[in-house]
């Protein structure tokens, strides 16, 4: 068990080293101009090793979607089955906020660098939106399963998820581009509270 733990920690250390090297290169010389070979070289690994952690450069810059989706799905699975779906999703968003609260200074710096990268490369915003849509479809499938409906037919399941995820998007859209992580987290928390006040209980339990 200890050996597995050490192995996992080593893998995570390598993954973060690749991320950090890649983000710095993207900001320094541009996303399109940076190659996988350059990223691998900066971390002193082979391109083959790079692909053990990320399938592409796009996958690398969208890593936070994978992380956030995992947190949301895990949190949703732990909620009582008879809990209103929107309430369950809001708890999932609070789990995301808790994860932000537990972030290290290195995590915060990485996140803020990614914000700068997306601001200077608009096409990455489109990739992020498409990846976010995948997460919303998966969450809608889980909500539909709780409601005993077909996710392809249950429009309300998709609306529930869209409302919940819009809360997080608004929370992260901090007006100040140079806002520190603490300010961003506070805005997310305030947006979650505002959403819960605005939507009356039971709206997501209609047929």
């Amino acid at each position: 068990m200890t050996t597995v733990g050490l192995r996992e920690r080593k893998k995570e250390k390598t993954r973060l080293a690749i991320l950090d090297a890649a983000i710095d290169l993207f900001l320094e010389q541009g996303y399109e101009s940076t190659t996988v070979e350059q990223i691998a070289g900066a971390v002193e690994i082979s391109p083959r090793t790079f692909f053990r952690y990320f399938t592409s450069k796009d996958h690398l810059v969208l890593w936070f979607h994978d992380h956030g989706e995992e947190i949301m799905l895990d949190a949703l699975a732990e909620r009582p089955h008879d809990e209103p779906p929107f309430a369950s999703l809001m708890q999932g968003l609070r789990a995301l906020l808790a994860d932000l609260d537990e972030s290290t200074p290195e995590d915060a710096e990485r996140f803020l660098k990614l914000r700068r990268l997306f601001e200077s490369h608009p096409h990455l915003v489109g990739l992020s939106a498409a990846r976010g849509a995948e997460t919303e479809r998966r969450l809608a499938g889980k909500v539909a399963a709780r409601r005993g409906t077909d996710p392809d037919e249950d429009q309300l399941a998709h609306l529930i998820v869209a409302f919940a995820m819009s809360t997080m998007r608004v929370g992260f859209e901090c007006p100040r581009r140079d806002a520190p992580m603490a300010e961003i987290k506070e805005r997310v928390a305030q947006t979650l509270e505002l959403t819960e006040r605005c939507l009356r209980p039971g709206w997501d339990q209609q047929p």
Side-chain angles (χ1 to χ4, degrees), residues 55-130:
T55 59
S56 64
K57 291 194 305 180
D58 291 349
H59 181 206
L60 188 150
V61 295
L62 298 177
W63 67 272
F64 59 92
H65 278 291
D66 294 346
H67 183 65
E69 180 179 302
E70 182 179 0
I71 290 173
M72 287 288 294
L73 290 172
D74 286 348
L76 189 60
E78 293 174 358
R79 303 306 300 172
H81 193 77
D82 58 351
E83 183 176 54
F86 188 78
S88 296
L89 286 171
M90 292 303 286
Q91 290 304 312
L93 294 181
R94 290 198 176 280
L96 282 175
L97 182 58
D99 184 71
L100 286 177
D101 285 335
E102 296 171 1
S103 61
T104 65
E106 292 78 15
D107 292 331
E109 182 181 6
R110 190 176 299 117
F111 177 80
L112 295 175
K113 283 183 177 180
L114 274 172
R115 281 172 65 94
R116 287 166 47 201
L117 179 66
F118 274 66
E119 288 170 2
S120 58
H121 295 77
H123 81 280
L124 294 179
V125 177
L127 292 177
S128 179

Side-chain angles (χ1 to χ4, degrees), residues 11-12 22 39-40 67-68 140 152 169 171 175 182 188:
K11 287 176 62 178
E12 179 66 5
I39 297 169
H67 183 65
D152 293 332
R169 282 194 291 271
V188 171

Side-chain angles (χ1 to χ4, degrees), residues 65-77 79 85-86 88-93 96 131-147 149 151 154 156-166 168-169:
H65 278 291
D66 294 346
H67 183 65
E69 180 179 302
E70 182 179 0
I71 290 173
M72 287 288 294
L73 290 172
D74 286 348
L76 189 60
R79 303 306 300 172
F86 188 78
S88 296
L89 286 171
M90 292 303 286
Q91 290 304 312
L93 294 181
L96 282 175
R131 179 63 183 84
E134 291 179 15
T135 293
E136 292 194 15
R137 284 193 293 272
R138 293 188 181 100
L139 288 171
K142 297 297 182 181
V143 169
R146 282 171 167 251
R147 287 166 46 80
T149 60
D154 188 353
L156 183 56
H158 290 269
L159 281 172
I160 291 169
V161 172
F163 286 147
M165 300 308 286
S166 292
M168 188 57 71
R169 282 194 291 271

